[in-house]
Amino acid sequence: MTGIGKVKIRRRAAAIPLVLGILTAAAVRAAIPPAIVPFHPASSGKWSKGPARYVDPFVGTGNTPGGSGNLFPGAVMPFGMAQLSPDTQSHGYGYRYDQPDIQGFSMTHMSGPGCSNEGDVFFTATTGAIHTQIKNFQSPYSHKQETARPGYYQVLLRKWGVNAQLTATDRCGLARLSFPAGRRANVLIPISHTLAHVFAAHVRMVNHHEVTGYVEDQCFCGTRAFYRVYFVMTFSRPFESFGTWRGNKLKPGSKTVTRNEPGRWIGAYASWPARNKKRVITVKVGISYVDLAGAENNLKQEAAGKSFNTIRQMAWKTWNKALRVITVKGGQPTQREVFYTALYHCLLMPSIFSDADGRYRGFNSSKIYHIAPGHRVYCNYSDWDIYRSEMPLLALIAPARMQDMCQSIVLDYQQGGWMPRWPQINRYTNQQCGSPLTIVLCTAWLDGLHGFNIQAAWRGMFQDATQAVPPNAPYHGEYNITWINKLHYDPDGIYSPEALNHSSDYGSVSQLQEDCIAYASLYYLAKALDKTKDAALFHKRALYYRN
């Protein structure tokens, strides 16, 4: 490691000086996927200010020696609910740098998922006749006519001659679409297109300015759980004609279409007649996991009356503020690109779940709750991937958000009945093993972040660490806990009765190691909370790895 640079990390009002070993420029170049063209920070203009200029959102979107990072290049705010990005595939991860066609754009994504998921509220732009099938409306594109910056994405859809620019607020996405002269302009809404498996979907043409609807999508990795995303889409210019489709059958003038079963391909379209000069249409999309009223209010609160350029500038300023929490000096520009791109990716998840009015749907339920003003509920905790690194970082550089994230985990337990493992949206997925979110909560509290209900958290963590789940529960708890309680280790290939239908598959060593890390965390937390008896219990359990 060479090229030592100085780093300052700002937490609250304090500045903590650190020294960071940064990779050499040669090592950095060697780590960049070969498919990705060299990135050059903006050198002039309003987009050349602050650390955001060093971020390259294309990093991690192409083939690397270890495979794709499954990252997305689209427009998003820090921890944003709306993550508006291009999709080059169906039933996949979204965007891959090496794929030649863009199918369209969708409002939700995950940064680095291990399974196909999300890609909800999908739309795209075309010209001429209406096409309902992906193979007909997808478009080739060139990386030479594509740009990605924090809070902004742009691409030319070459088949249609449409230049698409994207930006975002916390809960809304905006697309500025520039259509060529002399051709009919279309916005297609193939609502049953997602990156996972749609169960239900609905679109309604409210008037010549507005379209509403929802999509009910499946949680990732084959989880038998579904969530619903509502949307309100408005247009800067009234569309002249519209319609819907089922399968490949168009129905011009139809105002609504609904799908209540898997497998049915549906969508809607809005069109503007050809004219002799370029037409620019701005599409604003508000989303909500609560209801249509929530999507409409999110759109009103965050995007109404604001131009595309205004919101893009707001996003840029917000990203600069978020990234300035760590200031790097010295080193080479390429090294700063690596550093700030990595920091950028650390600020994408968990993502905001509650609406602008504070409403949110309870965990594993349809009941609507309210979070206190000034706070947010978060979702999408990728457990294994974050408890060792990202969450301790957020405890240091984003303590207010971290406390809300911890309280969100506590709410998941209180509303769902058990500590979650890899919770997606408001559902249990039970992916991975161990109790990673227990470690997250313990880390935050022991780091001095006490803005969440630790007593409720303790009850949930204690239960998860010592008890088997009831039969047919939607949560799985710690795999093989009955054997762990009896033998003090997890016997490989022998499953507890309650685990027959959802055994670990990660192996006894991996399972027990993860559990013991959680037990050790609970030991230190019990000591801090003066729970002497519990501390002794978890000290003993933390040493089960020896067995």
Side-chain angles (χ1 to χ4, degrees):
M1 303 289 281
T2 61
I4 302 302
K6 290 188 176 180
V7 176
K8 283 189 177 180
I9 299 179
R10 293 183 176 85
R11 175 173 172 180
R12 299 185 177 91
I16 306 171
L18 299 176
V19 175
L20 177 71
I22 305 180
L23 288 171
T24 64
V28 168
R29 283 193 291 272
I32 294 176
I36 296 183
V37 296
F39 171 73
H40 301 288
S43 58
S44 63
K46 66 181 70 174
W47 315 117
S48 65
K49 307 296 183 182
R53 73 188 187 274
Y54 293 115
V55 175
D56 182 3
F58 288 118
V59 168
T61 64
N63 286 327
T64 65
S68 173
N70 302 335
L71 307 182
F72 66 88
V76 58
M77 291 279 269
F79 309 102
M81 175 189 292
Q83 303 193 344
L84 177 55
S85 189
D87 293 325
T88 60
Q89 56 189 210
S90 305
H91 305 298
Y93 303 111
Y95 177 97
R96 286 182 60 93
Y97 196 89
D98 56 335
Q99 292 179 334
D101 298 308
I102 287 179
Q103 296 182 0
F105 312 95
S106 57
M107 289 291 297
T108 65
H109 293 84
M110 274 195 187
S111 182
C115 296
S116 304
N117 72 336
E118 300 201 12
D120 307 305
V121 189
F122 179 87
F123 64 96
T124 192
T126 67
T127 58
I130 300 297
H131 297 285
T132 65
Q133 305 302 302
I134 296 171
K135 64 180 181 180
N136 297 324
F137 63 65
Q138 68 183 5
S139 172
Y141 70 106
S142 168
H143 294 306
K144 294 180 180 180
Q145 296 168 309
E146 184 185 32
T147 306
R149 301 284 181 187
Y152 176 77
Y153 174 85
Q154 171 275 327
V155 69
L156 177 67
L157 302 177
R158 300 175 71 181
K159 181 174 182 177
W160 311 112
V162 176
N163 188 54
Q165 300 177 77
L166 312 179
T167 191
T169 68
D170 284 341
R171 303 170 180 88
C172 304
L174 283 78
R176 182 163 62 186
L177 307 172
S178 299
F179 293 90
R183 302 206 68 189
R184 175 185 181 183
N186 312 307
V187 171
L188 309 182
I189 311 169
I191 194 61
S192 54
H193 181 292
T194 71
L195 299 172
H197 301 281
V198 174
F199 179 78
H202 173 76
V203 179
R204 176 174 174 251
M205 319 300 287
V206 177
N207 52 45
H208 287 266
H209 278 282
E210 182 177 327
V211 179
T212 64
Y214 62 80
V215 57
E216 190 169 324
D217 205 358
Q218 184 178 6
C219 291
F220 75 140
C221 293
T223 305
R224 297 302 300 170
F226 297 85
Y227 62 90
R228 182 171 288 191
V229 185
Y230 297 87
F231 73 91
V232 173
M233 180 181 295
T234 62
F235 302 86
S236 59
R237 299 178 185 274
F239 45 85
E240 183 178 274
S241 58
F242 58 88
T244 64
W245 70 77
R246 287 182 182 274
N248 58 7
K249 186 177 180 180
L250 273 177
K251 194 174 181 180
S254 170
K255 291 185 177 182
T256 185
V257 62
T258 303
R259 160 183 167 174
N260 290 318
E261 71 287 332
R264 178 74 68 174
W265 179 252
I266 67 168
Y269 67 90
S271 292
W272 294 259
R275 66 176 193 173
N276 59 7
K277 60 180 180 179
K278 181 177 73 173
R279 173 186 275 115
V280 177
I281 297 169
T282 299
V283 182
K284 296 182 178 180
V285 188
I287 61 171
S288 168
Y289 294 97
V290 179
D291 53 24
L292 281 178
E296 184 174 19
N297 186 60
N298 289 341
L299 192 61
K300 178 181 178 181
Q301 295 296 323
E302 297 182 1
K306 298 173 183 175
S307 70
F308 182 94
N309 285 339
T310 296
I311 289 180
R312 180 189 175 186
Q313 290 171 16
M314 289 170 55
W316 183 257
K317 290 179 181 178
T318 300
W319 272 113
N320 266 325
K321 181 179 180 181
L323 295 168
R324 280 197 187 100
V325 72
I326 302 180
T327 302
V328 179
K329 295 182 179 179
Q332 300 299 315
T334 306
Q335 296 169 321
R336 291 192 286 274
E337 292 161 21
V338 171
F339 182 86
Y340 280 113
T341 298
L343 181 58
Y344 167 84
H345 284 132
C346 287
L347 303 179
L348 296 181
M349 286 174 59
S351 48
I352 296 168
F353 181 61
S354 52
D355 282 348
D357 61 6
R359 296 187 307 150
Y360 67 98
R361 289 201 179 267
F363 196 80
N364 208 48
S365 76
S366 59
K367 186 176 179 180
I368 298 174
Y369 295 84
H370 284 78
I371 191 69
H375 296 276
R376 292 166 171 165
V377 174
Y378 290 83
C379 64
N380 297 342
Y381 296 80
S382 59
D383 286 14
W384 272 358
D385 314 310
I386 61 175
Y387 84 77
R388 302 172 180 86
S389 52
E390 184 201 3
M391 298 310 276
L393 174 65
L394 296 184
L396 182 65
I397 66 174
R401 284 192 189 267
M402 181 66 173
Q403 290 175 110
D404 275 359
M405 290 173 184
C406 290
Q407 182 60 20
S408 298
I409 298 169
V410 176
L411 293 172
D412 290 351
Y413 152 66
Q414 291 178 309
Q415 295 160 5
W418 210 271
M419 284 288 292
R421 189 170 65 250
W422 221 134
Q424 182 185 3
I425 313 300
N426 66 334
R427 296 286 185 249
Y428 292 100
T429 73
N430 303 299
Q431 300 300 319
Q432 303 174 349
C433 70
S435 297
L437 295 187
T438 284
I439 303 167
V440 168
L441 295 176
C442 293
T443 296
W445 188 268
L446 294 170
D447 277 357
L449 304 185
H450 296 170
F452 61 98
N453 188 341
I454 191 60
Q455 295 305 325
W458 179 263
R459 291 191 293 272
M461 294 186 292
F462 189 95
Q463 173 183 261
D464 187 59
T466 59
Q467 298 178 29
V469 302
N472 302 315
Y475 36 79
H476 294 178
E478 289 185 2
Y479 291 120
N480 257 5
I481 190 69
T482 298
W483 282 117
I484 292 172
N485 286 340
K486 184 177 181 178
L487 302 178
H488 303 166
Y489 70 92
D490 178 11
D492 194 29
I494 303 176
Y495 302 118
S496 305
E498 74 280 355
L500 285 176
N501 295 322
H502 42 75
S503 55
S504 168
D505 294 330
Y506 291 105
S508 61
V509 174
S510 178
Q511 172 67 55
L512 194 61
Q513 176 179 315
E514 291 291 338
D515 290 344
C516 288
I517 296 171
Y519 300 153
S521 300
L522 289 169
Y523 159 70
Y524 287 109
L525 179 60
K527 286 183 62 179
L529 298 176
D530 294 324
K531 296 180 180 289
T532 305
K533 183 178 178 180
D534 292 336
L537 169 68
F538 286 112
H539 184 275
K540 183 178 180 180
R541 293 180 75 95
L543 300 179
Y544 283 177
Y545 74 91
R546 295 176 175 178
N547 300 329

